[in-house]
Each structure stands twice: as C-alpha cells, then as structure tokens.
Amino acid sequence: MRLLHLSDTHLTASGFDEDGVDAAASLDRILHDVRFVPDLDLIVVSGDLADDGSVAGYTAVQERIERFAAERQIPQVHCVGNHDDRAAFAQVLGTGHFDAAGRDIGQTAVIDARAAVSEVSALRVITLDSLVPGSAHGVISDAQLAWLASVLARPAPNGSVVVVHHPPIAPTFVPWMAVDGLRNAEALGDVLAGTDVRAVLCGHFHLQLAGSLRGIPVSVTPGVVTRLDLTTRPHLWRGVKGAGATVVELGTSGGPLFHAVQARDPHAGEPVYLVDGRTGADVTTED
C-alpha cells in the first residue's frame, strides 16, 4: 500500500496562518506537485489542520483534500493536533475517517477525544487525539490507551497504522522537541509493543524525522505550511517556507519506506520566523 502523509496545514478563515504565510497556497502547491505519485491508496493528515480552529479553516482543508482524494477514488483520514479545536473538527470532519466515496466510516468509543478507527483494504488505520488545549505538548489519555489496547487485541489482516499528531520521538540535540512532543510516549509504547502496528505517523515538528518506538517505525512528516530548519543555533527555531509531505510504502521489501517530498516553491527556504526557544521570543538575529 502507498500512503500520502500530510500534516500541519494550518489553514484559517482567511487562508493565512498566524505567521502570515499563505497556508491555502502551500496546501494547493504540495497537492499539485504530488499529483503524479502513482497508486496512492490513502491520504493521511496528522493534525493542525486549522491554525485558528475555525469551521472555515477545516472546510478549506477538507475541500482540497476531498477533491484530491475523489480524483483518485481513495479514502482520507485526519486527526487533531495542538492547534485544532475538537468541536469545530467534529462539525466539519466527523470522526475524520472517510471512504473513497467521501462517507464518514470511522468508529470510536472514546468520550471527549477525537480518536477513531477504520479499515482500508484490510489495513487498520487508527487516529489518536493527543491534544492538550492551550498547550504545545501532547498527551494520549488513559481512556484512549485502554481503547487502543482493546482495538489492537485482534490483529488486522494487513496490520495497523497509528496516526497521532505529537511524535513519541525527538532528536536529542533539540531539547525543546522532547518537551513539546508526546509526553507519555512510554505509555503508548507499552500498548503498541507486540501488536500488529506497522508504523506510527506523526506531524507537529514541521520537519522530516524517522525513528522507532519499541521497535515500531515512527515517521514524522514535514509541515505543509512551513518547514523547520535546524541548521541554525540549537536554541533557535527557524521556520522557512516550503511545503513538504511523505510518501509511505507498506508491504514492500525493506519497508515500511518513508520518502519525503517537497513542493517546487520558488520561495522555498525563505525565512518566516526566528524564535528563541529558551524564552519563546521572536528574535531578529542568529548571533
């Protein structure tokens, strides 16, 4: 199976994110540039769909993803991130799981969380809700973990994929990522260990990152709205233009495989923001 993994679209009612980036154009650009990726079976969007948590923002994302999916007659799956609003997400996207005809097919049994499950060609796709309202970091609730364990108790014919916004991994040379990532990664690992989960797909960090959790491959896809450039000083966060995505291949030799792709943007690499990670303040120089 071949999946297109997007994340951090950050659309708003105006189309521009909080940093002034044309988020609608960024999403349009990456969808245009991946149009020739062959034989896609599923589109996954791993959170931070709407930067302002607005119904208009979710609608703008859904219209674009739905059009792309409908042209290819493939399903789409969405989960919430730290910028998202659960109520607005549910109003527009329901469970976040849609079949090739655009029908909501997700099943969920978790109260007060947007966690759901569906199957695509016998591959079980599970979305988790790591949103902690008002915070950058993520946590998966005990109720979700118990539900996840019950779902994974029965293996799926083609295995499972877990989608969660906050990564359970982080590079050690960027201390803030461990703080702003998934705070209870070990608890998630306890549930996933020994199951049929073939990959965990995440967003949030706006960069390409690969690792593992209890031997299960974890892939963090680049952001659509902006990309984080880690070539600056370790305490700084440099955001630059350039929409990205990941093509995930399952069931292939040596897989799963994660192939990052970048939109052909003439403004790619142009700085958007520079933040001091120690204080959270905007800065104008890297000295």
Side-chain angles (χ1 to χ4, degrees):
M1 294 188 67
R2 186 171 293 127
L3 288 59
L4 176 64
H5 180 197
L6 306 171
S7 194
D8 298 273
T9 53
H10 285 247
L11 262 75
T12 63
S14 70
F16 290 81
D17 80 340
E18 63 181 11
D19 296 308
V21 175
D22 190 339
S26 294
L27 180 54
D28 288 339
R29 185 172 288 112
I30 191 66
L31 290 176
H32 176 78
D33 284 351
V34 299
R35 68 193 185 280
F36 295 131
V37 175
D39 303 324
L40 288 173
D41 299 291
L42 173 67
I43 302 172
V44 172
V45 189
S46 58
D48 276 7
L49 279 72
D51 206 31
D52 59 355
S54 69
V55 167
Y58 291 109
T59 301
V61 173
Q62 173 62 354
E63 288 176 348
R64 287 165 167 79
I65 300 296
E66 186 174 49
R67 183 165 56 247
F68 185 91
E71 290 172 351
R72 290 153 184 80
Q73 297 184 324
I74 57 176
Q76 51 179 298
V77 168
H78 310 257
C79 77
V80 297
N82 57 291
H83 281 261
D84 288 310
D85 178 87
R86 290 187 178 112
F89 178 99
Q91 182 176 334
V92 177
L93 296 165
T95 69
H97 291 239
F98 298 90
D99 66 10
R103 297 171 296 204
D104 191 329
I105 59 169
Q107 300 178 9
T108 182
V110 181
I111 299 175
D112 297 330
R114 307 309 308 169
V117 59
S118 62
E119 287 196 5
V120 179
S121 300
L123 172 72
R124 181 166 51 200
V125 184
I126 304 165
T127 51
L128 298 176
D129 180 344
S130 56
L131 168 62
V132 178
S135 300
H137 70 269
V139 173
I140 300 171
S141 66
D142 290 343
Q144 283 187 81
L145 292 173
W147 170 79
L148 177 62
S150 68
V151 170
L152 293 175
R154 176 186 61 84
N158 285 336
S160 300
V161 167
V162 170
V163 183
V164 60
H165 182 65
H166 292 85
I169 60 173
T172 58
F173 68 94
V174 190
W176 67 265
M177 284 194 176
V179 175
D180 284 351
L182 186 67
R183 291 278 179 91
N184 59 341
E186 288 302 314
L188 175 61
D190 289 342
V191 175
L192 299 185
T195 68
D196 70 347
V197 174
R198 303 168 70 178
V200 179
L201 306 181
C202 312
H204 189 50
F205 287 161
H206 289 240
L207 49 72
Q208 180 189 5
L209 182 68
S212 64
L213 179 66
R214 300 294 181 88
I216 299 170
V218 177
S219 174
V220 182
T221 191
V224 169
V225 66
T226 50
R227 176 175 60 83
L228 194 64
D229 180 359
L230 293 183
T231 61
T232 188
R233 296 179 182 274
H235 67 280
L236 296 177
W237 312 347
R238 182 202 285 148
V240 300
K241 294 181 180 180
T246 302
V247 178
V248 181
E249 291 202 46
L250 302 173
T252 187
S253 176
L257 303 178
F258 307 104
H259 172 213
V261 293
Q262 298 290 330
R264 292 171 293 170
D265 183 351
H267 299 288
E270 290 182 2
V272 175
Y273 59 82
L274 187 65
V275 175
D276 189 328
R278 300 167 300 188
T279 64
D282 293 329
V283 296
T284 58
T285 177
E286 299 186 32
D287 294 333

